[in-house]
């Protein structure tokens, strides 16, 4: 069977070149006589793998030396607790709600201190980014939290909020390394790898060193302390070794694409093709506010649930899979991450055009 075009929101499509290279190295990684899956995380071979992965992501994002890069486990969801446990030094933080994941992070933070909602687009079913002007950032807030790209709703912060000097903490799971970013504007940037970087099981945290020097929330387990993982070079316990290896290959692939500037151009081209069709269509319509549209996740509907289901079924038969939308939005969602080729989006649009002719 030939490979399908996989529009899943995550775990998601990976670069074919990366998969082929990993397949070639599966039984014998560069002459060491074993797979990366089998080797000790304390071995010199794996130390080179994780060191090179960190070096390459630092190059991609121009990460300065006063930031730690950590390869952790537990998904983005574990960070919902780790962040307040480690960073809520004075018991207060501000949250901006733009979707289910930001809302879950806010609810988790309430267990460890006072978590205030200072802006929300929930009344609009999270179809837009709320007004960020004159945000009532608390004077005593330890940080301001956002989910930068909202996978379910297809929205993205195109301008970061003014946090009035407070550290910005951003979940970037579904837009990680999709475009250039000034890491110095963040106190912490983090994300699960399974949407845009690698396989499920790896969470990458990029955090300013000064934020993890002080004491943490009383009773915080060692495994949930950033400074312990930083001191151990992400090797405090057995890390998700094979996942980190794949992430490292994706970093190298991104560098070969012209870095984040190069991949951004490709992502914009893919998204423009799909959005332009949606804007002209008489059957399909996008659900996200135009000014806040994501380059990565594109939800759309016909307005008829039965027709939506028919579309998803017939698309799958054409090798266009995982297009069913999230239940809170309905319809369809095309996740067009870095590794989705332009040809995949082109085929999707061609199928949509044909479907519209037959079903309008």
């Amino acid at each position: 069977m030939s490979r399908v075009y996989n529009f899943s929101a995550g775990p998601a499509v990976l670069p074919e070149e990366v998969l082929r290279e990993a397949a070639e190295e599966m039984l014998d990684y560069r002459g060491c006589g074993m797979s990366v899956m089998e080797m000790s995380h304390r071995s010199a071979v794996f130390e080179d793998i994780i060191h090179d992965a960190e070096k390459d992501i630092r190059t991609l994002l121009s990460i300065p030396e006063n930031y730690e890069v950590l390869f952790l486990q537990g998904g983005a969801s574990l960070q919902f607790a780790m962040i307040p446990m480690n960073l809520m030094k004075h018991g207060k933080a501000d949250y901006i709600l733009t979707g289910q994941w930001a809302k879950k992070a806010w609810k988790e933070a309430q267990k460890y201190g006072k978590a205030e909602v200072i802006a929300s687009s929930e009344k609009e079913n999270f179809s837009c980014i709320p007004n960020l002007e004159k945000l009532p950032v608390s004077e005593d807030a330890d940080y301001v939290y956002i989910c930068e790209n909202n996978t379910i709703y297809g929205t993205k912060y195109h301008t970061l909020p003014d946090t009035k000097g407070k550290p910005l903490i951003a979940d970037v799971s579904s837009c990680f390394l999709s475009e250039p970013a000034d890491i110095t504007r963040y106190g912490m940037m983090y994300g699960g790898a399974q949407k845009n970087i690698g396989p499920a099981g790896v969470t990458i945290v990029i955090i300013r060193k000064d934020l993890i020097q002080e004491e943490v929330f009383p009773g915080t387990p060692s495994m949930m302390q950033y400074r312990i993982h930083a001191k151990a070079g992400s090797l405090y316990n057995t890390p998700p070794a094979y996942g980190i290896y794949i992430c490292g290959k994706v970093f190298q692939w991104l560098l070969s694409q012209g870095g984040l500037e190069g991949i951004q151009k490709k992502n914009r081209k893919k998204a423009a093709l799909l959005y332009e069709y949606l804007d002209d269509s008489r059957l399909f319509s996008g659900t996200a506010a135009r000014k806040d549209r994501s380059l990565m996740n594109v939800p759309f509907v016909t307005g008829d649930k039965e027709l939506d289901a028919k579309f998803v079924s017939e698309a799958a038969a054409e090798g266009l899979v995982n297009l069913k939308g999230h239940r809170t939005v309905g319809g369809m969602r095309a996740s067009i991450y870095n590794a989705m080729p332009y040809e995949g989006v082109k085929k999707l649009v061609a199928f949509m055009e044909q479907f519209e002719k037959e079903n309008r």
Side-chain angles (χ1 to χ4, degrees), residues 37 319 353:
M37 284 189 181
E353 289 174 337

Side-chain angles (χ1 to χ4, degrees), residues 138-205:
S138 307
E139 288 187 8
D140 53 349
D142 289 300
Y143 59 84
V144 176
Y145 182 99
I146 65 171
C147 181
E148 191 164 330
N149 189 87
N150 300 283
T151 320
I152 294 172
Y153 305 95
T155 61
K156 168 76 162 64
Y157 286 79
H158 296 297
T159 301
L160 295 176
D162 178 3
T163 63
K164 299 180 181 178
K166 305 299 182 182
L168 177 64
I169 311 300
D171 177 352
V172 297
S173 294
S174 54
C175 62
F176 220 161
L177 304 185
S178 62
E179 59 186 4
D182 181 359
I183 195 68
T184 64
R185 297 194 63 189
Y186 302 79
M188 171 179 159
M189 172 190 287
Y190 78 94
Q194 72 276 8
K195 295 178 181 293
N196 213 30
I197 296 177
V202 182
T203 304
I204 300 172
V205 169

Side-chain angles (χ1 to χ4, degrees), residues 8 38 44 138 210 315:
S8 172
E38 303 170 289
S138 307
D210 64 287

